[in-house]
Amino acid sequence: MFNADYKKRREDLRKKVGNGLIILPGNNEAPCNYPDNTYKFRQDSTFLYFFGIDQPGITGVIDAESGEEYLFGDDVTMDDIIWMGPQPGIKELAAKVGVANSAPYKAIKEVVQTARKQNRVIHFLPPYRHDIMLYLEDLLDIRVAQLKAHSSLPLIKAVVDLRSVKETCEIEEIERACDIGYEMHTTAMRLCKPGVKEQYISGVLDGIASSYGCMTSFATILSQNGETLHNHYHGNFLETGRMMLTDAGAETNYHYSSDFTRTVPVGGKFDNRQKDVYNIVVACHDHAIDFAYPGTTWKEVHLNVCKVLTQGLKDLGLMKGNVDDAVAAGAHALFMPHGLGHMMGLDVHDMENLGQIYVGYDDETRPSEQFGLASLRMGRRLQEGFVITDEPGCYFIPALIDKWRAEKMHTDFLNYDVIDTYKDFGGIRLEDDILITKEGSRFLGQKRIPLTVEEVESIMNE
Ligand code: GLY
Ligand code: MN
Ligand code: MN
């Protein structure tokens, strides 16, 4: 059973924000192709974190000065009961999570109007759903286009502070999500045979996630064209000689995520060229866990891993020159144009809606504008309790290779004649989820998804 202390979380938030009124809208149902045919409901993660209620149409308000808390939402009608069954009322929901005051949804207007008349600060987070934007526009008289600029930095920072360090109950829940991820990825490995259509395997994985109550934690990425980083096209039949990249994870019933990637040879046997590149990515992956500990920055870990990648590609004849200089110049980003990982929790890219600059960076560690490094979502100093993904990769993207070659990019470090012979290679990414501990870091999940060449070939040929 998931046992979060929502009252304490709200008390901590109230203390951090210190003044004004905090408005935290939960999500509404989202229509798909007509109003009554909705996407599967997904609650807003910050609302879940502070109120724990997984139902649409509720807004939470916290008075940061008086400590008064409210939940606004409508009780179901007889018509709703007939079609959807009995549902707990807003008073009952509020009582369950220790909120003293509850009222119908529209009653929030009066509370907000009073606060505005008193010139009190009203804190809200940058909205990402259009219905919530219209709702806030109506409540606050701030045009939709201006909402992001008027969102509250103190509230963003307070939420990031609290949600970044995972509580024991959250870590346990993430481990559950990882265990579902294990089942998804080992199933994908067993199904990866020539002639099987990618969409069949991705559908089976989505089904495994759903069978545990929730959805995948993001739209499954699965393709024999793994050089496209987020490839959602699943229409190919798997071919011998290719590798299948699967980036997929699950969400638990309490909405905590996992996010894993494995890349395996179609049919179960790596050829020598695949093995060479694969082993470089394995070395990068293992290197990250060796270097991740409280006090170091994830940006340093990322740059160290880029050096391991560069050394490996130099040994294969694809890169040349001084490794440190190549990484400082960003030459390796031809092969790894993304960052080493991101925070993970209630969102697979945790809190990305609050602004990556606040989640992954701070006054000390600033984002880079260099190609590749600019895509590093998480750079800042690590703390015990952070959950991060470790996801190095090596890709051969023909269009990018051609562009860089034509522009004579980093010719001191890149052997384009050799690189050209890899344009049919595809891409490899390996991803695990790690917890920063007191002493260092550890992988999350009870069982490790096969990673090494031997482990992968063994499970695929059982
Ligand atoms: N699942 C997308 C990613 O790994 O960031
Ligand atoms: Mn992933
Ligand atoms: Mn990831």
Side-chain angles (χ1 to χ4, degrees):
M1 182 60 200
F2 186 63
N3 224 349
D5 188 344
Y6 298 107
K7 213 167 166 42
K8 178 177 183 311
R9 289 177 178 178
R10 293 194 301 268
E11 189 58 23
D12 289 345
L13 181 71
R14 184 170 94 76
K15 283 192 202 134
K16 278 184 186 286
V17 174
N19 67 358
L21 208 61
I22 302 167
I23 303 182
L24 295 170
N27 278 340
N28 298 311
E29 293 282 17
C32 174
N33 49 343
Y34 53 89
D36 277 354
N37 194 26
T38 54
Y39 291 104
K40 188 170 164 63
F41 175 68
R42 178 54 160 83
Q43 186 56 284
D44 173 74
S45 297
T46 300
F47 183 86
L48 266 180
Y49 185 83
F50 291 106
F51 294 99
I53 301 172
D54 197 6
Q55 271 183 230
I58 304 173
T59 291
V61 171
I62 302 167
D63 186 321
E65 286 151 56
S66 72
E68 289 239 68
E69 298 175 336
Y70 310 80
L71 276 179
F72 296 96
D74 291 333
D75 288 341
V76 290
T77 62
M78 181 51 69
D79 217 37
D80 295 328
I81 293 170
I82 291 166
W83 290 94
M84 298 163 7
Q87 317 282 326
I90 190 69
K91 195 167 175 190
E92 200 182 322
L93 290 171
K96 248 189 197 166
V97 292
V99 175
N101 308 295
S102 62
Y105 200 54
K106 65 175 191 307
I108 190 176
K109 277 207 155 184
E110 201 182 312
V111 173
V112 172
Q113 287 294 351
T114 306
R116 288 179 60 199
K117 275 191 202 137
Q118 294 167 343
N119 283 325
R120 298 186 66 196
V121 185
I122 300 188
H123 302 274
F124 60 93
L125 298 171
Y128 56 93
R129 285 201 180 185
H130 296 104
D131 55 335
I132 299 295
M133 291 177 195
L134 294 173
Y135 171 65
L136 289 175
E137 181 182 64
D138 186 47
L139 267 184
L140 306 170
D141 275 331
I142 300 172
R143 299 291 303 274
V144 163
Q146 298 300 317
L147 282 167
K148 193 171 173 203
H150 283 83
S151 62
S152 161
L153 195 52
L155 179 59
I156 292 172
K157 289 190 167 173
V159 172
V160 169
D161 266 4
L162 292 170
R163 284 182 55 189
S164 292
V165 179
K166 271 55 182 182
E167 300 162 359
T168 305
C169 65
E170 295 183 284
I171 294 163
E172 286 168 2
E173 200 56 25
I174 293 170
E175 299 241 42
R176 278 183 204 111
C178 291
D179 293 344
I180 307 170
Y182 174 89
E183 192 175 325
M184 291 162 74
H185 280 271
T186 50
T187 301
M189 288 175 182
R190 292 192 174 101
L191 292 174
C192 179
K193 309 248 189 264
V196 176
K197 201 170 184 181
E198 294 163 339
Q199 72 183 29
Y200 173 72
I201 306 178
S202 80
V204 171
L205 304 195
D206 292 356
I208 293 172
S210 298
S211 73
Y212 286 96
C214 258
M215 303 181 289
T216 51
S217 49
F218 56 96
T220 295
I221 296 159
L222 185 149
S223 178
Q224 63 185 357
N225 297 319
E227 74 280 8
T228 300
L229 303 185
H230 282 179
N231 201 332
H232 296 295
Y233 176 73
H234 304 146
N236 299 302
F237 291 92
L238 296 174
E239 292 165 23
T240 306
R242 311 291 293 274
M243 287 177 294
M244 179 179 82
L245 184 153
T246 305
D247 182 348
E251 211 176 89
T252 64
N253 279 326
Y254 294 98
H255 300 288
Y256 283 86
S257 314
S258 61
D259 184 8
F260 294 107
T261 309
R262 290 293 186 270
T263 310
V264 302
V266 177
K269 192 104 190 87
F270 288 96
D271 66 28
N272 286 338
R273 192 173 71 149
Q274 289 169 345
K275 219 182 280 183
D276 286 343
V277 179
Y278 189 89
N279 281 330
I280 295 171
V281 185
V282 171
C284 293
H285 170 275
D286 291 351
H287 193 78
I289 192 117
D290 291 344
F291 276 81
Y293 51 84
T296 194
T297 68
W298 191 246
K299 186 174 175 181
E300 281 171 69
V301 181
H302 167 92
L303 290 171
N304 279 330
V305 163
C306 293
K307 289 177 192 171
V308 176
L309 176 72
T310 301
Q311 183 63 55
L313 293 172
K314 190 175 158 184
D315 294 343
L316 279 187
L318 290 144
M319 292 189 74
K320 58 187 173 181
N322 179 281
V323 167
D324 290 354
D325 293 347
V327 170
H332 64 285
L334 176 65
F335 307 100
M336 184 174 142
H338 62 73
L340 182 62
H342 49 85
M343 294 275 230
M344 196 188 76
L346 277 165
D347 308 298
V348 71
H349 287 179
D350 213 20
M351 300 171 276
E352 201 164 279
N353 58 309
L354 304 185
Q356 206 54 61
I357 187 109
Y358 307 117
V359 179
Y361 291 89
D362 55 17
D363 292 341
E364 180 200 8
T365 312
R366 305 305 296 161
S368 164
E369 290 184 358
Q370 187 187 66
F371 178 77
L373 196 50
S375 297
L376 179 65
R377 291 188 164 98
M378 165 74 191
R380 67 184 165 118
R381 218 166 269 290
L382 301 174
Q383 292 175 39
E384 186 182 350
F386 281 10
V387 170
I388 304 174
T389 63
D390 167 20
E391 49 179 309
C394 183
Y395 314 86
F396 295 86
I397 305 167
L400 186 62
I401 295 169
D402 291 345
K403 180 173 189 286
W404 277 32
R405 184 168 197 155
E407 291 171 2
K408 300 189 171 29
M409 290 280 286
H410 302 300
T411 46
D412 289 349
F413 304 114
L414 297 168
N415 280 326
Y416 283 108
D417 287 346
V418 184
I419 294 167
D420 269 348
T421 68
Y422 280 70
K423 277 199 212 156
D424 61 345
F425 185 89
I428 294 171
R429 177 162 67 253
L430 298 171
E431 176 175 25
D432 275 296
D433 305 329
I434 66 175
L435 171 70
I436 304 303
T437 61
K438 205 179 195 130
E439 302 79 28
S441 54
R442 72 169 175 88
F443 289 115
L444 288 163
Q446 287 185 46
K447 289 193 264 181
R448 302 294 321 287
I449 303 168
L451 179 82
T452 63
V453 166
E454 296 71 30
E455 288 164 354
V456 169
E457 291 188 347
S458 163
I459 188 170
M460 293 183 82
N461 292 288
E462 265 171 7

